Amino acid sequence: MSQVEKKAGLLRRTSSSKKPLKEKVVLMYDEIFAKEDPAKNNPRFWDELFLMKVNLEYLESKLESVNGEEVQRIQDNINSLFHHCVQALGEEHQIKVVNALQTLCALFRGVHQKNKSASGFDIINMLMGFDKAEQRMKDLMERLDSLLCGDSSESLKSLCLKLLLCLVTVTDNISQNTILEYVMINSIFEAILQILSDPSSRGQHGYDAVVLLALLVNYRKYESVNPYIVKLSIVDDEPTLDGMGVVLHQALTEYNRQYKDKEEENQGGFFSTLTSMVGSMFIADVDEKLSVQTNEAILLALYEAVHLNRNFITVLAQSHPEIDIPVSPSTPTPTTPTTPLGTTPPSLDVMNNPELPLDPNLQTSNLLITFLKYASIVMQDTKDEHRLNSARLCLIILTCIAEDQYADAFLHDDNINFRVSLHRMPMRHRKKAPGKNIPSRPLVCAVLDLMVEFIVTHMMKDFPMDLYLRCIQIIHKLLCYQKKCRIRLHYTWRELWSALINLLKFLLSNETTLLAKYNIFHLALLVVNLFNMFITYGDTFLPTSNSYDELYYEIVRMHQVFDNLYCMVLRVSTNTGQWKEAASKVTHALVNIRAIINHFNPKIESYAAVNHISQLSEEQVLEVVRSNYDTLTLKLQDGLDQFERYSEQPKEAAFFKELVRSISLNVRKNVSLNTLSQDVLLKEFSTIS
């Protein structure tokens, strides 16, 4: 049977001369699209309609095919269909409820697809009649709320959430979906929270619930008071917040597990042998394929929770056993097209394990660790806009975390240590880091490791300036906390200093190319001021006096980079041009670094000459440094421990608008594929009935 015949609901050809028969439900749809009231000659029309299996394709295509004049002619019937769908949601007969929910899905999608250029008011008028819209939507939202909060079957609750996701994502720009005004007025926020707070319900529907909440929070968030933002910001119920954390943790864990499996799969067998023979020329390409798709919907939900709700910060630290949960092969999978890695919710096997047995031999994990591992995957490859945006959102989340006092206290707590195995980008000049023998350290070390890893691995032609700025600012905020609280963190600071110096070297080497696109002096200033933080306040937060000596050793050892930077910014700041002021700030910021270099270099040269040594060892240089601190004069620089706090509006508004658009399109596609497994639903409710 052809695709056209399927859409039309054709059953069979009785002979070559006769027209094929139509399904009864298709005939009933045709009556709705006729001018007459379909119930005029058949008072039981609507009762019978909702007992029929919905033909979604036909109904949607019929809605899309009507022209302007026909819309006016059949509007009363469409309004009546919408009204009877809502009424059917209150029926005891479960098959009627299922069919009504699916019909509403088709109505929302079909009407919007046909009228993409129409105003929101015209669409509301076509669907339900503008004069009755408020009451119709009030009834719809109340019935959906009742189904979600009541003792309905899990399949019905799932379908309710799918309908809501369908409604929220029918327009590309969520804020242009005028129908959502009624979803703001008739809030289902409490129903979403109830799903998240109940372990059983959360296991079945938690993923859809948090994605729905994240999208609703972004409806006209900068234009008016969004009740979902207000309510999310004041949630303090521990089971609810923990439930949200569990859903996010499990979704990210599932992505990390899938990535690890694919990584191991690509490293095994013939490929592994081949790369060991010819080098690692193919590694980057393989890794690129692994990180094509990310789960931006879950990242957005995590961001909104962290950004809006101070109480959620405590959830980041909730411990879970770190365990690879196997996906049961016995679970039937729907026959839908394969979706890319990370775009679909985690399997029910994962979601249905809210309580796992604790094993004293198991390494514990938490949402923050899982997020850091996830970030280490998505931040590896930022060559296209999609992946660049995912990395950007990860860094924005880390920015919010780094600014929060409670989060900082947890990150730096020396009594709560974790082994965090971050993913590292394969590079030709370094061996793949072994996953074993990772030390157990405060979590801030993993955050710093992630920042250092990013700095080292993204110095490339298509330079991600925005990500570098965010990365340096996160490090600065963590240092400010350490300085304020006098926390002496045992960290391999030399790796950070080396990464920062190499970054400055990269900026110098690519000055002309980068200046055509970016203000590199702003980034250089941030990097130089990180060194100034260590120079001015390092004695309050570096772990030992030796660490402070090593800082000076690195500055003196790499003095050529700082000398070249000074020459460059001096040249630009003494000429007229757009970068004059920006370069001048870097010139002033270098004053103490230059003082250190100019003070110690002659002393080191003198020591070498007196002792007839052509090349001093590190220990000999450190000895010179230690014995000449007293005569070093430095200037006190103000504002080094101050920073501008993160604000979404106005700086990030455009980014989030495009991000939500991208997520909405992806959710819409997945709802189209997964909502309507009719045969399974109808079989279930036929048995019940």
Side-chain angles (χ1 to χ4, degrees):
M1 190 181 288
S2 71
Q3 191 63 35
V4 176
E5 288 172 329
K6 284 181 184 176
K7 278 195 175 185
L10 307 186
L11 294 179
R12 66 182 181 274
R13 292 183 181 276
T14 53
S15 74
S16 57
S17 61
K18 292 183 180 179
K19 288 184 179 180
L21 298 176
K22 286 186 177 182
E23 294 176 60
K24 184 174 180 181
V25 73
V26 168
L27 294 170
M28 296 182 84
Y29 290 154
D30 288 343
E31 287 188 60
I32 294 170
F33 284 88
K35 188 176 180 181
E36 294 293 324
D37 176 1
K40 185 177 180 181
N41 297 320
N42 179 7
R44 290 186 50 77
F45 178 87
W46 298 111
D47 280 335
E48 291 174 8
L49 178 68
F50 294 113
L51 289 170
M52 301 285 170
K53 179 181 173 182
V54 181
N55 188 323
L56 289 155
E57 283 189 89
Y58 184 77
L59 182 54
E60 281 186 52
S61 63
K62 195 80 176 170
L63 286 162
E64 289 172 32
S65 67
V66 292
N67 61 35
E69 290 180 11
E70 286 177 309
V71 168
Q72 297 297 322
R73 186 166 52 82
I74 64 167
Q75 184 178 312
D76 286 347
N77 285 354
I78 298 296
N79 292 171
S80 189
L81 173 59
F82 188 94
H83 171 58
H84 284 94
C85 281
V86 174
Q87 280 194 320
L89 297 183
E91 292 270 2
E92 288 186 16
H93 202 308
Q94 300 287 279
I95 284 183
K96 285 188 176 182
V97 179
V98 169
N99 288 329
L101 287 167
Q102 295 187 331
T103 304
L104 283 167
C105 251
L107 271 174
F108 284 129
R109 280 209 298 252
V111 170
H112 277 89
Q113 196 66 27
K114 171 64 183 175
N115 301 277
K116 284 186 176 179
S117 59
S119 73
F121 299 107
D122 288 338
I123 286 173
I124 290 169
N125 197 37
M126 183 179 176
L127 272 172
M128 56 196 99
F130 199 73
D131 56 333
K132 297 174 183 173
E134 193 171 329
Q135 187 60 47
R136 294 283 182 268
M137 285 302 296
K138 182 175 184 290
D139 292 343
L140 172 61
M141 297 309 293
E142 282 178 356
R143 283 179 179 160
L144 289 176
D145 186 83
S146 176
L147 287 167
L148 287 169
C149 295
D151 56 1
S152 309
S153 80
E154 300 304 333
S155 298
L156 266 187
K157 289 182 180 180
S158 177
L159 201 51
C160 288
L161 287 168
K162 297 294 186 191
L163 172 62
L164 286 164
L165 285 169
C166 171
L167 170 57
V168 171
T169 60
V170 283
T171 55
D172 291 352
N173 181 348
I174 192 173
S175 294
Q176 290 176 353
N177 186 351
T178 312
I179 296 178
L180 293 187
E181 286 295 330
Y182 300 111
V183 183
M184 297 294 117
I185 297 166
N186 305 286
S187 174
I188 49 153
F189 184 80
E190 286 70 23
I192 293 173
L193 293 198
Q194 184 171 317
I195 288 168
L196 295 174
S197 62
D198 177 66
S200 174
S201 185
R202 177 172 70 231
Q204 294 281 337
H205 317 296
Y207 184 91
D208 283 346
V210 295
V211 171
L212 177 62
L213 181 57
L215 289 169
L216 288 171
V217 161
N218 280 276
Y219 174 72
R220 296 184 181 173
K221 70 193 306 190
Y222 309 120
E223 301 157 37
S224 59
V225 177
N226 180 322
Y228 290 85
I229 292 177
V230 176
K231 290 179 178 183
L232 179 57
S233 67
I234 58 174
V235 174
D236 58 1
D237 179 60
E238 198 172 316
T240 302
L241 292 172
D242 288 348
M244 190 183 300
V246 166
V247 173
L248 297 171
H249 179 263
Q250 290 173 334
L252 295 177
T253 298
E254 177 72 356
Y255 178 90
N256 294 349
R257 187 190 62 77
Q258 289 177 21
Y259 180 87
K260 185 180 176 184
D261 289 348
K262 284 188 175 288
E263 190 178 44
E264 289 172 356
E265 184 183 312
N266 278 291
Q267 287 170 355
F270 173 73
F271 178 80
S272 179
T273 308
L274 183 64
T275 42
S276 65
M277 290 166 60
V278 299
S280 55
M281 66 181 76
F282 303 122
I283 289 180
D285 294 335
V286 171
D287 207 65
E288 188 174 321
K289 289 174 187 172
L290 293 179
S291 58
V292 169
Q293 286 287 345
T294 59
N295 196 328
E296 291 173 320
I298 282 294
L299 271 190
L300 179 66
L302 176 59
Y303 164 74
E304 297 296 358
V306 169
H307 178 232
L308 294 175
N309 192 300
R310 289 293 310 280
N311 300 313
F312 188 78
I313 292 292
T314 61
V315 176
L316 294 173
Q318 295 286 346
S319 290
H320 309 276
E322 188 173 70
I323 186 167
D324 282 334
I325 305 164
V327 179
S328 171
S330 62
T331 305
T333 53
T335 55
T336 55
T338 304
T339 48
L341 176 64
T343 60
T344 52
S347 66
L348 286 180
D349 297 313
V350 176
M351 299 299 285
N352 280 328
N353 277 277
E355 303 296 334
L356 293 166
L358 278 171
D359 182 333
N361 299 316
L362 278 177
Q363 156 81 358
T364 55
S365 182
N366 56 45
L367 177 54
L368 183 54
I369 293 173
T370 305
F371 167 67
L372 290 173
K373 290 181 179 181
Y374 180 89
S376 73
I377 295 170
V378 302
M379 287 167 61
Q380 284 183 30
D381 186 358
T382 57
K383 289 190 179 76
D384 68 32
E385 190 175 2
H386 178 82
R387 284 169 281 183
L388 192 70
N389 288 340
S390 293
R392 185 177 180 181
L393 184 52
C394 285
L395 289 172
I396 289 174
I397 292 168
L398 282 171
T399 299
C400 295
I401 290 170
E403 286 183 7
D404 187 273
Q405 292 290 303
Y406 177 84
D408 280 328
F410 173 74
L411 285 172
H412 291 85
D413 192 334
D414 204 28
N415 297 312
I416 310 174
N417 296 331
F418 294 91
R419 291 184 179 87
V420 183
S421 178
L422 299 176
H423 293 263
R424 284 158 57 94
M425 185 187 290
M427 298 180 76
R428 293 185 185 92
H429 65 273
R430 70 178 183 188
K431 293 180 181 178
K432 187 170 175 65
K436 298 171 184 176
N437 303 323
I438 298 168
S440 189
R441 305 173 296 171
L443 269 179
V444 69
C445 296
V447 179
L448 290 168
D449 283 349
L450 184 63
M451 299 301 99
V452 170
E453 174 68 9
F454 180 83
I455 293 169
V456 168
T457 56
H458 289 76
M459 288 180 260
M460 54 195 179
K461 186 178 177 182
D462 192 10
F463 189 70
M465 174 62 82
D466 177 73
L467 302 189
Y468 268 97
L469 291 171
R470 294 177 192 277
C471 189
I472 301 300
Q473 287 165 343
I474 289 166
I475 296 169
H476 179 237
K477 287 169 183 178
L478 294 172
L479 292 181
C480 288
Y481 179 81
Q482 291 167 25
K483 178 256 175 184
K484 176 186 171 185
C485 299
R486 294 181 168 265
I487 293 170
R488 297 189 180 278
L489 183 68
H490 288 272
Y491 183 70
T492 49
W493 292 110
R494 288 179 83 159
E495 289 185 10
L496 172 61
W497 300 331
S498 174
L500 294 173
I501 291 169
N502 283 329
L503 175 56
L504 291 176
K505 192 190 294 185
F506 176 82
L507 296 180
L508 288 166
S509 302
N510 297 273
E511 174 194 348
T512 307
T513 310
L514 292 174
L515 268 179
K517 295 181 181 179
Y518 309 113
N519 174 7
I520 62 172
F521 302 105
H522 180 45
L523 178 57
L525 179 64
L526 293 177
V527 172
V528 168
N529 278 339
L530 279 187
F531 279 103
N532 286 330
M533 274 285 289
F534 283 105
I535 292 165
T536 308
Y537 302 117
D539 60 330
T540 66
F541 64 81
L542 285 171
T544 63
S545 57
N546 282 347
S547 302
Y548 199 71
D549 301 338
E550 287 168 358
L551 168 67
Y552 278 60
Y553 171 80
E554 285 299 316
I555 291 171
V556 172
R557 185 175 73 87
M558 301 301 292
H559 70 88
Q560 196 63 56
V561 175
F562 295 107
D563 291 344
N564 292 345
L565 177 63
Y566 181 73
C567 291
M568 190 260 276
V569 294
L570 190 64
R571 165 172 49 83
V572 176
S573 64
T574 50
N575 293 324
T576 55
Q578 71 177 113
W579 306 119
K580 180 180 173 69
E581 187 180 344
S584 180
K585 289 179 181 178
V586 183
T587 309
H588 294 307
L590 281 165
V591 61
N592 281 343
I593 291 174
R594 295 191 71 245
I596 290 168
I597 292 167
N598 293 335
H599 176 73
F600 286 107
N601 262 354
K603 301 281 193 296
I604 291 166
E605 289 168 9
S606 172
Y607 180 91
V610 168
N611 292 282
H612 306 289
I613 303 170
S614 59
Q615 192 168 354
L616 298 182
S617 67
E618 179 178 333
E619 194 49 53
Q620 288 168 327
V621 174
L622 286 170
E623 185 184 328
V624 175
V625 168
R626 291 187 192 107
S627 57
N628 286 282
Y629 276 132
D630 293 347
T631 52
L632 173 65
T633 304
L634 298 175
K635 290 187 176 180
L636 186 63
Q637 293 176 305
D638 294 328
L640 291 175
D641 58 345
Q642 305 296 313
F643 59 80
E644 183 183 353
R645 292 190 67 83
Y646 170 79
S647 174
E648 183 182 315
Q649 169 78 338
K651 287 184 180 179
E652 312 293 349
F655 167 70
F656 278 102
K657 182 179 177 181
E658 286 307 309
L659 180 75
V660 171
R661 179 191 293 266
S662 169
I663 292 169
S664 182
L665 288 169
N666 194 44
V667 170
R668 185 198 310 169
K669 181 176 69 178
N670 281 334
V671 168
S672 299
L673 294 171
N674 300 328
T675 311
L676 316 160
S677 47
Q678 294 170 283
D679 292 333
V680 175
L681 285 165
L682 293 176
K683 184 178 179 183
E684 176 185 339
F685 293 115
S686 296
T687 306
I688 292 171
S689 302

